[in-house]
Amino acid sequence: MKFFLKSVLFTILAVAMLATPLFAQKGKPGGGGGGSTSGSGCAVVATPSLSTTTAAPGMNVGIFSRITNCSGKARYTVTISAVSSCGEETIIASSVITFNGGESKLISISYPIAPDTCKGGSSVFVNVYSGGNLLASQSTPLTIQ
């Protein structure tokens, strides 16, 4: 029952995070999404926390982090990805998020590990971009059994 509740919670969080596709966001023409309205961006990403540090293909892993805007009002593209032990990158989620000056936001999503994921050490990344410029990045290890 506990596993079922976690699965439902992670599914709801994933749907909520992906509910607004990038092309529906206001921003640059073509839907590529925003940059800082003050001309320069500044963001800080907390090291992501995972619901488990060891998982098997087919499992869901919860990813949680905090992003803080250290400049004026801004729109940043936040990307969550994973890189397997054999170098394959998976984009888990990407969204344009608007921040007020000094505002922090919590992010969370469920990552379903693909059945063909390489076993061994992998990493989960949270990256923040303003336009095409990487402002902040943090990662945490995830072991695939």
Side-chain angles (χ1 to χ4, degrees):
M1 184 69 166
K2 187 176 179 182
F3 177 76
F4 175 76
L5 291 175
K6 283 184 179 180
S7 297
V8 170
L9 176 64
F10 291 139
T11 302
I12 290 170
L13 292 173
V15 169
M17 185 135 179
L18 297 174
T20 308
L22 287 175
F23 63 83
Q25 297 285 333
K26 294 180 183 176
K28 294 182 179 178
S36 169
T37 58
S38 64
S40 63
C42 175
V44 177
V45 178
T47 302
S49 298
L50 305 177
S51 59
T52 182
T53 58
T54 303
M59 286 182 61
N60 285 329
V61 176
I63 303 169
F64 312 93
S65 189
R66 182 183 69 247
I67 300 165
T68 302
N69 175 25
C70 47
S71 66
K73 186 171 181 169
R75 291 170 50 89
Y76 298 137
T77 301
V78 177
T79 302
I80 304 168
S81 61
V83 178
S84 69
S85 61
C86 53
E88 293 290 323
E89 181 177 17
T90 301
I91 303 298
I92 300 166
S94 183
S95 185
V96 177
I97 302 175
T98 301
F99 291 85
N100 289 318
E103 183 177 24
S104 293
K105 292 192 179 185
L106 300 174
I107 59 166
S108 60
I109 192 160
S110 178
Y111 167 40
I113 300 171
D116 60 347
T117 300
C118 299
K119 292 181 179 9
S122 64
S123 295
V124 174
F125 292 86
V126 176
N127 297 322
V128 179
Y129 298 90
S130 177
N133 300 322
L134 179 64
L135 298 179
S137 179
Q138 287 290 335
S139 66
T140 196
L142 173 63
T143 302
I144 306 298
Q145 296 182 333

